[in-house]
Amino acid sequence: MKYFHLIWAALFRRKTRTILTLVSIVAAFLLFGMLDAVRTSFDQAGQSANGAERLQTGSKLSFIQTLPQALGARIAQVPGVKAVTYANWFGGAYQDPHNQVFSFAVAPNYLDLYPEIAVDPAQRKTFDDTRTGALVGEALAKKFGWKVGDKIPLQSTIFPDKSGNKTWTFDIVGIMHAKDKKSAGFYDQMFLLHWKYFDETTPYNRGTVGWYVTRVADVNQADRVARAIDALSANSDHETRTQTEQAATANWMKQLADIGLIVGSIMGAVFFTLLLLSGNTMMQAVRERTSELAVLKTIGFSSRSVLAMVLAESVLLLLIGGVLGLGLAAVLIPGVSANSGGMLNLPTVGAGSWVLGLVLMVLIGLLVGALPAVRAMRLNIVDALAGR
C-alpha cells in the first residue's frame, strides 16, 4: 500500500482515456450484474418440490400436449393431495396479434387454489354465473382501458370456435389484483375465462386440459406426492411430469430458449471486448511511461516492484469500474422489477454474484496487465533513457 499514490497517479495520468475505459468497464459489469440476476432467477426456480404448496402436472412429452380431464379425479385421490384444479392456455391477443394477453381457460375452483389473488366476492359470483364472463388483472385492465361491464373481443392465436372464427367475445365481470404487490406482475396481467365455455366452443379441445394444479396437505411430502401423481399415468399415452410451479415455468422457458447459454454467450462477447479494450489502454499507458519506469529502476526499484506496480494499476482499473458497475446493477435491479409490474422478479446482486464479479475483475486485470508488466520488468535502463 505504500506505493498506492504512485499507482493512482499513473492510472490517472491520462484522465480522459482512463475515464472512457472506466465507462466501458462499468457498462460491462452493469450488464454482467443484470444478466447474472436473470440467470440466477432461472437457476433458483424450483430446484426441489419440498416446501412448495402447489404442484403443476403437465405432459411429459411437451407443454403443448393436453391431458385427459378424467385424470383430475384420480389425482384428487392421491394421499396428500388437498385440492386439484386445471387450466388450458387460450393464447389471446387484443386488437393486434402483438398485444398478447396471458389468457387461460380455468376450472370453477381455480381461484380457490390461489389465495394470493383477490377478487370482490360479488364479482366472483357473477363470474361463476356468467358463461362468457371473464376476470382480468388490474394492470391489464388499466393497460387497455377495460372496466367491468365491457364486452371484449379477444382473438385466439390458437383456437377457433366451431365456425372457424378466432375472435371470441367475453364479458368483463370482475377485476383481479394480487394481495402481495411484490408478486403482482403475473396475476395482475392475467385474463381468466371459463374452461367449460372454452371446451364447448372450440372443436379442438375435446374435454382435455392443459395442466393440473395441485395443493398438497403437507409441503414436506410434496416430492412423494409428485411421484405418486406421475405414477398414475406411467406407461400410458399421456405420461405426466409433476413439479413446482416455479420449475414448470423455468422448463417452459427453456423449451423456448436456453437462458444460460444466451447469457453466457453475451457475457463472453462483452468480456472479450473488454479484455481487448482495457489491454490496449494498459499497453499505451506503460509505453508512454517507459522513461519514468526506467527512472524508478535507476533510483532503486527492483524489477519485481515495477512488475507489481503495473499489475496493481491494471487490477485497480478493473476493480474501480467493476465495483461501480455491479453497484449500479444492485441499485437498478429492484427498480427494473418494480417498473415491470412484477413480470420480472429479478433477485438483487447477491454475495455469490459479488464474489464472481470480484474474481472476474481481478483475473481480467491480471490478464490485461500481464504483458505490459512483463515488458516493464524487463526494461533496460540505458535503452529506455536513450529513447530506444
Side-chain angles (χ1 to χ4, degrees), residues 120-371:
D120 181 87
Q123 293 180 350
R124 171 70 186 275
K125 186 177 186 307
T126 304
F127 175 66
D128 293 339
D129 296 339
T130 307
R131 184 171 179 265
T132 58
L135 295 174
V136 299
E138 189 174 36
L140 184 63
K142 289 181 179 179
K143 178 180 179 180
F144 294 117
W146 297 341
K147 61 183 182 299
V148 174
D150 287 350
K151 280 188 175 293
I152 299 299
L154 208 64
Q155 180 182 5
S156 176
T157 57
I158 306 173
F159 301 101
D161 60 20
K162 292 180 179 178
S163 64
N165 184 15
K166 286 191 174 183
T167 299
W168 301 51
T169 301
F170 299 99
D171 298 292
I172 296 182
V173 297
I175 305 294
M176 303 178 293
H177 67 271
K179 295 178 181 178
D180 180 8
K181 291 302 179 184
K182 292 182 180 180
S183 60
F186 184 69
Y187 298 135
D188 282 1
Q189 294 282 347
M190 288 198 310
F191 186 104
L192 302 184
L193 56 132
H194 286 292
W195 179 88
K196 185 176 181 181
Y197 171 58
F198 164 76
D199 185 58
E200 291 175 348
T201 306
T202 181
Y204 295 98
N205 195 57
R206 299 178 181 177
T208 60
V209 304
W211 63 89
Y212 289 96
V213 177
T214 304
R215 180 178 288 276
V216 296
D218 182 358
V219 295
N220 294 316
Q221 297 295 317
D223 281 329
R224 180 193 59 78
V225 173
R227 290 192 296 269
I229 292 174
D230 289 339
L232 296 175
S233 302
N235 301 318
S236 70
D237 61 352
H238 55 270
E239 289 189 300
T240 62
R241 175 180 297 165
T242 302
Q243 52 197 332
T244 62
E245 288 183 326
Q246 294 88 346
T249 301
N251 287 337
W252 177 71
M253 290 300 296
K254 286 176 182 177
Q255 291 188 56
L256 300 178
D258 190 331
I259 301 300
L261 178 61
I262 292 173
V263 170
S265 300
I266 294 174
M267 291 316 305
V270 169
F271 283 130
F272 179 73
T273 304
L274 179 63
L275 198 68
L276 298 178
L277 177 64
S278 53
N280 181 64
T281 298
M282 286 304 303
M283 289 292 291
Q284 289 183 6
V286 172
R287 190 181 302 116
E288 291 172 356
R289 301 201 310 273
T290 300
S291 59
E292 297 174 13
L293 293 171
V295 171
L296 288 177
K297 284 191 171 186
T298 302
I299 62 177
F301 281 80
S302 67
S303 295
R304 289 186 177 181
S305 296
V306 173
L307 172 73
M309 288 175 63
V310 175
L311 285 176
E313 180 184 340
S314 177
V315 171
L316 180 61
L317 177 67
L318 267 295
L319 283 174
I320 293 174
V323 169
L324 287 175
L326 275 181
L328 189 58
V331 172
L332 292 179
I333 284 174
V336 170
S337 296
N339 291 327
S340 71
M343 291 302 294
L344 294 174
N345 291 306
L346 302 178
T348 187
V349 181
S353 296
W354 274 106
V355 170
L356 178 59
L358 290 171
V359 170
L360 286 172
M361 295 171 208
V362 174
L363 286 177
I364 295 174
L366 291 174
L367 282 173
V368 301
L371 183 58

Side-chain angles (χ1 to χ4, degrees), residues 92-115:
Y94 180 63
Q95 293 180 334
D96 188 293
H98 295 94
N99 292 331
Q100 293 292 316
V101 176
F102 290 112
S103 46
F104 306 98
V106 299
N109 68 331
Y110 185 81
L111 289 175
D112 295 338
L113 274 73
Y114 290 86

